[in-house]
Amino acid sequence: MIEGHRLRDKRDCGCAYRESRADLSGQHIGVLQVIRREGSDKHGNILYLCRCDLCGGEKVLPASTIRARLASCGCKKTDPQRMEAMSPLGVAKQVYHGVQVIQATREEANRNSQTGVRGVFPFRGGYVAAVQIKGVRWRSGRYSTIEEAQKALAVQKEAMLDDAGVTDEVIAKFRPPKKPKK
């Protein structure tokens, strides 16, 4: 029997804590088949080795993530074949060899841009250029003017697109022709 004065600051009897510590081994939750317990991380979260039904890959995940009934182990986000398969479905018609061509070649700055140039932002009294294509991120050193950073960005972006196999012909195929300004 629990004395009343001990329950004053408690929210539950402790059963929720025990349930969160229950072993998930052998269970099938969402798209994950929990294989076995793998210990715990530095924060005390219990880790489990899981197999994804979608890709068949095995990954170590915390119990809280598994209980969230994930749609995938993360394979849906980064699978290049899936990205290319999306094109016929009309979801991402701009994908070529895993590169979102329209996004990678877009030149208009975001409306919250501080410089008015896409990929160039102020940094410690100067300007820095940055671009990411096909998961590869590049960031320049500091330049004194926006124009210098913009030139460096253009050179690097061109090189990264060439490495990814995105040529001017591919860009022309995906990009609609520019309308003349009135």
Side-chain angles (χ1 to χ4, degrees):
M1 184 151 132
I2 301 174
E3 297 150 6
H5 71 279
R6 296 189 186 273
L7 292 175
R8 195 173 303 142
D9 296 328
K10 305 290 181 191
R11 293 197 177 116
D12 63 38
C13 63
C15 61
Y17 177 77
R18 281 191 300 276
E19 184 179 303
S20 72
R21 294 290 184 189
D23 190 18
L24 300 176
S25 298
Q27 295 185 31
H28 195 268
I29 302 173
V31 297
L32 299 174
Q33 175 67 43
V34 182
I35 299 171
R36 68 176 176 268
R37 185 174 173 168
E38 287 285 315
S40 58
D41 64 7
K42 65 181 180 181
H43 304 291
N45 300 317
I46 299 173
L47 300 174
Y48 290 94
L49 178 65
C50 301
R51 182 176 294 118
C52 178
D53 292 341
L54 302 175
C55 68
E58 292 183 354
K59 195 169 191 179
V60 176
L61 297 169
S64 58
T65 303
I66 297 167
R67 283 194 191 89
R69 297 190 182 274
L70 301 174
S72 77
C73 67
C75 60
K76 280 178 127 179
K77 287 186 205 171
T78 57
D79 184 25
Q81 286 95 12
R82 184 182 150 269
M83 289 295 288
E84 286 190 37
M86 286 171 55
S87 186
L89 299 174
V91 178
K93 293 180 181 174
Q94 309 88 1
V95 177
Y96 180 78
H97 294 298
V99 177
Q100 293 183 355
V101 177
I102 299 290
Q103 188 69 18
T105 59
R106 199 173 126 207
E107 295 175 7
E108 304 84 31
N110 292 333
R111 62 183 167 168
N112 62 347
S113 172
Q114 296 177 347
T115 61
V117 178
R118 183 173 187 82
V120 176
F121 53 94
F123 183 73
R124 294 186 182 171
Y127 298 93
V128 174
V131 64
Q132 179 172 331
I133 296 175
K134 203 172 179 178
V136 178
R137 184 174 292 170
W138 173 83
R139 184 172 167 168
S140 73
R142 200 168 65 208
Y143 295 96
S144 56
T145 66
I146 294 173
E147 291 77 20
E148 290 174 346
Q150 189 175 12
K151 286 178 187 173
L153 177 67
V155 169
Q156 185 63 32
K157 188 186 278 190
E158 185 70 29
M160 290 175 79
L161 287 171
D162 285 344
D163 290 346
V166 178
T167 61
D168 291 336
E169 294 82 28
V170 173
I171 294 169
K173 183 175 118 181
F174 285 101
R175 267 212 178 272
K178 290 185 179 180
K179 296 178 183 175
K181 293 182 181 179
K182 295 180 180 179

